[in-house]
Amino acid sequence: MCGIVGYVGPREATTIVFEGLRRLEYRGYDSAGVATLRGGRILVRRAEGKLSNLEHLLADQPINGHIAIGHTRWATHGAPSQRNAHPHTDCTGEITLIQNGIVENFLSLRQALQAEGHVFSSETDTEVIVHLVEKYVAQGCSLAEAGRRAFAQIKGAHAIVLLSSREPDTLVAARLGNAGGVTVGLGEGEMFLASDIPAILEHTRRMIFLEDRQMAVITPTGPQFFSLDGQAVEKSVTEIPWDPISAAKGTYRHFMQKEIYEQARSITDTLRGRIDFETGVVTLDELNLPPKAVSQIKEMVTVACGTSAYSGLVGKFMIEALARVPVEVDYGSEFRYRDPIVDQHTLVLAITQSGETVDTLAAMEEARQKGARLVSIVNVIGSMAQRISDGVILMHTGPEIGVASTKAFSASLVDQLLLGAYLGQARGTLADQDSRSLAQALAELPELAGRVLQDGYNDYETLAHDFHDREHFLFLGRGINYPIALEGALKLKEISYIHAEGYPAGEMKHGPIALIDESMPVVTIAVQDNVYDKMISQIEQVKARGGIVIAVAHEGDQVVRDKADYVLTIPRSHPLITPILAVLPMQLLAYYLAVRRGCDIDQPRNLAKSVTVE
Ligand code: F6R
């Protein structure tokens, strides 16, 4: 969950590393630190709290050299504090380290190292690694060899970077398991390291990704790669198509705001080249799922976490409708612990924006072991989820920086529609006419999304004014829009800290109806689909108990307008496309309420963008 950056080369290293950290602040923001080498000595600056505290410290006590590492922390062991912030340094002051992950056996290692005379200066699990490295360096090992021996002793998943004054031109990095990525960025006479691509995107687009149990030894002239058993490894370079501008906030106040408003564009990018809008024929080259493989699929299981899991729930409706394959959806964190029934006839679909969510990766591994075919919908190019899948559908939405996922949600819905249509066409369950009408609706989608996002289309300011002081919200939806109610509630609680529950509307009378009173807004998705009449009667039931209804309805729906207290409209579209439009007012409602409450939109408390710990 922590952010990692490294640099070695002729430029001012601390400045480059700090700028990289600024782009990774969404990873963790309870403390941060950098270390560099100057005059043969390691210099470290660490500060509790947000990155701006480290910035002030560096302004007061500048450090600079030509090699540096930096870290933003999301605390696991040890409270957020200056002494627990990374980098951590050994007893000699010659070796320093940053890490992402949890050392599961840190207690026994710490006791053994203390018994050998090592003195610890933090409460973190991380610090044991640097003392282990120190021990092997004292025995005459190079930094890389000492690291390799130390890494063999620690349990758990990790991304680690080492720097030593004994080898002033060398960074040693390692990836053990799924604690987030380690990306080496190739420059000319300079090299970069990062947990996430956006940190170094302005310097290079040529990147190499470490696999599990691989190490990199990096000097300004280039990296060398090894497996953790010491064998040299050949790695290929990936050209990242992302534009550095796409990772910048531009004129927007928040990344989340920017990402909500760019969805008309990102949906276009997701569709581009994948569907013939005349015939409706879908082409998904990277999916690597030829017709013969499609014919062997008996069922699908979607694994994902958080917003991506809700996307999977919407996708279930899409894929079952188009391809007539049963789809089960499970949280990554649950799937692996229930001995799931999957085999070679199961297509397992992982949905993950980051491609590094540890629970989703673990679920993928579980499915792989059971012989399932593995495909993924991923945004981050070169991420672990992409690399371990048999096939992939990239979201093509550009970097998503806001901690609350928005444009990746809509992109993954579009991808699942394309997947459903692709499978339906291969299985013969989707008539040509139906393919064509879906394609026509998809062709119109960017424009319709753009309309919902236009200034003044819906009045969120009034809603924010009227409801910013409420403590509870209920979100109701039915059928394909039920997961949109879940997503609306999740968005609201994570960025505004208002308690919100999403519920299948028909279940309201079985419990949540007891909560309804004049103080709790009930957001209902009441679009004109096959459950419209049922949703109207839910609205009646809420109103009969004095509740306040904020309805998401189709343009021109006077029935809803007459019954609801507030209406957020969306244009009419194909029923399978409606959720992609219905989620936009949910995102904007959460955003405006959170802004009005003065919340920290892009860095909501306790959250981090890539969840790389269990
Ligand atoms: C919520 C949110 C999270 C993520 C979840 C999975 O707004 O962003 O719930 O959706 O942590 O992340 P990915 O998709 O990267 O696997």
Side-chain angles (χ1 to χ4, degrees), residues 99 101-106 109 125-126 128-129 154-155 158:
Q99 176 238 15
I102 297 174
V103 185
E104 288 167 6
N105 55 337
F106 90 99
L109 288 172
D125 55 326
T126 309
V128 297
I129 312 174
I154 56 173
K155 293 203 177 126
H158 309 275

Side-chain angles (χ1 to χ4, degrees), residues 34-51:
V34 291
T36 188
L37 263 179
R38 191 90 196 171
R41 281 182 52 225
I42 284 185
L43 301 171
V44 179
R45 297 286 181 268
R46 301 182 296 178
E48 185 184 334
K50 296 216 169 178
L51 204 57

Side-chain angles (χ1 to χ4, degrees), residues 3-5 16-26 32-34 51 54 70-72 199:
I4 284 177
V5 188
I16 290 179
V17 163
F18 185 83
E19 285 307 313
L21 290 182
R22 212 195 277 286
R23 294 196 182 84
L24 291 192
E25 211 181 355
Y26 59 87
V34 291
L51 204 57
L54 179 65
H71 188 266
T72 55

Side-chain angles (χ1 to χ4, degrees), residues 305-308 352-354 357 403-405 490-491 494 611:
C305 298
T307 285
S308 293
T352 167
Q353 188 285 130
S354 62
T357 298
V403 168
S405 186
L490 178 63
K491 283 289 91 81
E494 68 181 328
V611 184

Side-chain angles (χ1 to χ4, degrees), residues 302 304-319 329 349 351-352 377 395 405 408-416 480 483-484 486-487:
T302 301
C305 298
T307 285
S308 293
Y310 295 157
S311 164
L313 287 173
V314 181
K316 171 184 165 70
F317 284 84
M318 294 169 165
I319 296 166
V329 183
L349 168 67
I351 305 174
T352 167
I377 292 178
M395 293 183 191
S405 186
F409 182 79
S410 51
S412 64
L413 294 185
V414 171
D415 278 344
Q416 286 176 93
I480 195 169
I484 299 299
L486 297 177
E487 174 60 4

Side-chain angles (χ1 to χ4, degrees), residues 542-604:
V542 174
K543 289 307 304 168
R545 283 153 188 87
I548 308 156
V549 172
I550 303 169
V552 175
H554 275 142
E555 286 172 356
D557 184 337
Q558 199 52 44
V559 175
V560 172
R561 199 162 282 281
D562 290 344
K563 290 183 193 303
D565 299 281
Y566 300 80
V567 177
L568 294 168
T569 52
I570 58 170
R572 277 160 222 273
S573 181
H574 190 294
L576 295 180
I577 286 176
T578 300
I580 306 172
L581 295 169
V583 79
L584 305 176
M586 302 283 130
Q587 297 169 348
L588 286 164
L589 179 63
Y591 176 77
Y592 278 89
L593 278 163
V595 168
R596 177 76 197 216
R597 284 164 70 90
C599 297
D600 193 343
I601 307 289
D602 284 331
Q603 289 162 24

Side-chain angles (χ1 to χ4, degrees), residues 42 50 63 153 157 228 242 246 259 262 313 391 393 440 453 469 499 542:
I42 284 185
K50 296 216 169 178
I63 50 170
Q153 281 183 258
L228 279 195
W242 288 353
S246 63
E259 289 159 6
E262 69 190 13
L313 287 173
I393 313 178
Q440 203 179 350
L453 297 169
D469 56 349
H499 167 239
V542 174

